[in-house]
Amino acid sequence: EEDQASCLRVYWQLCFNLMGSSNNTVELSGKEMDEKEVVFTPLLHAYFIGVKTIACSLFGRYDLGAHLAIEKGDQQYLKMKGGVMWAQIFWFHRCLCVFAMARTNKTKERKYMAQAKRIHKELTKLLKNKNPNVLHYASLLNAEKAALKQKKTQEEIRKLYNDA
C-alpha cells in the first residue's frame, strides 16, 4: 500500500508542476514530494522515471527526457506488451524526447534514431494489432519521423501533423 501511495504522489506532483503550483517544471519537488528525499523501491523508481520523462517532454527538456529514457530504462516495469497501463504514454513521450534530440544533436543522431525507431516500431505494431489507444501516438510519431528524415515535402509533413 505504501508503494502505491508513493507512486500516486509522483503523479500528483506532476499535476502540480503542470498547473504551475510548483516552482519547478521537470524536477518533481513541491507539495506532494521531493525527488531528492525519496527512498526508491524498484516499482517507485520505474514510475518516477516514467513521470519525469513525461514532464521533460511536456516542458521541452528533451535532453533530460532522452537521457532518462536511454540511460535509466527500468525495462522490467515499462514493457510495451503486458506492462503497466500507462506504459504506452511513457513510451510515446520517451520517443518524442529521443526524436527531438536526434534533430538537435547531429553527433549522436544515430544513437537517438535507433532508440526512436525501435519505440515507433512497437507502437505501430500495437496499432496494427488493433489497439485503438495508440492511434494518435503513432500518427504524431509518423509526422516526427518524416520531419526528421526530410524525405517528404513540407506540405506532406504538415498534412501528417494535421492528421495526427
Side-chain angles (χ1 to χ4, degrees), residues 93-108:
H93 285 282
R94 178 182 180 190
C95 195
L96 280 180
C97 288
V98 176
F99 269 139
M101 287 308 297
R103 183 176 292 154
T104 60
N105 191 336
K106 295 298 181 187
T107 58
K108 294 184 179 179

Side-chain angles (χ1 to χ4, degrees), residues 114-136:
Q115 284 285 333
K117 283 180 183 177
R118 187 175 62 78
I119 297 167
H120 183 250
K121 181 180 175 183
E122 286 295 323
L123 284 170
T124 304
K125 194 184 306 180
L126 285 173
L127 184 60
K128 287 179 184 173
N129 289 334
K130 309 286 188 236
N131 184 339
N133 298 326
V134 298
L135 173 64
H136 296 293

Side-chain angles (χ1 to χ4, degrees), residues 29-79:
S29 298
K31 189 174 182 178
E32 279 301 313
M33 66 169 288
D34 185 351
E35 69 180 44
K36 294 175 182 146
E37 296 177 7
V38 174
V39 177
F40 289 105
T41 63
L43 178 64
L44 179 57
H45 190 259
Y47 271 76
F48 173 78
I49 294 298
V51 171
K52 189 157 177 125
T53 301
I54 291 168
C56 291
S57 171
L58 295 175
F59 285 109
R61 287 290 314 274
Y62 304 117
D63 55 336
L64 180 57
H67 171 75
L68 289 170
I70 292 173
E71 304 300 324
K72 303 180 185 282
D74 288 305
Q75 303 302 329
Q76 70 272 20
Y77 290 102
L78 300 173
K79 294 179 182 173

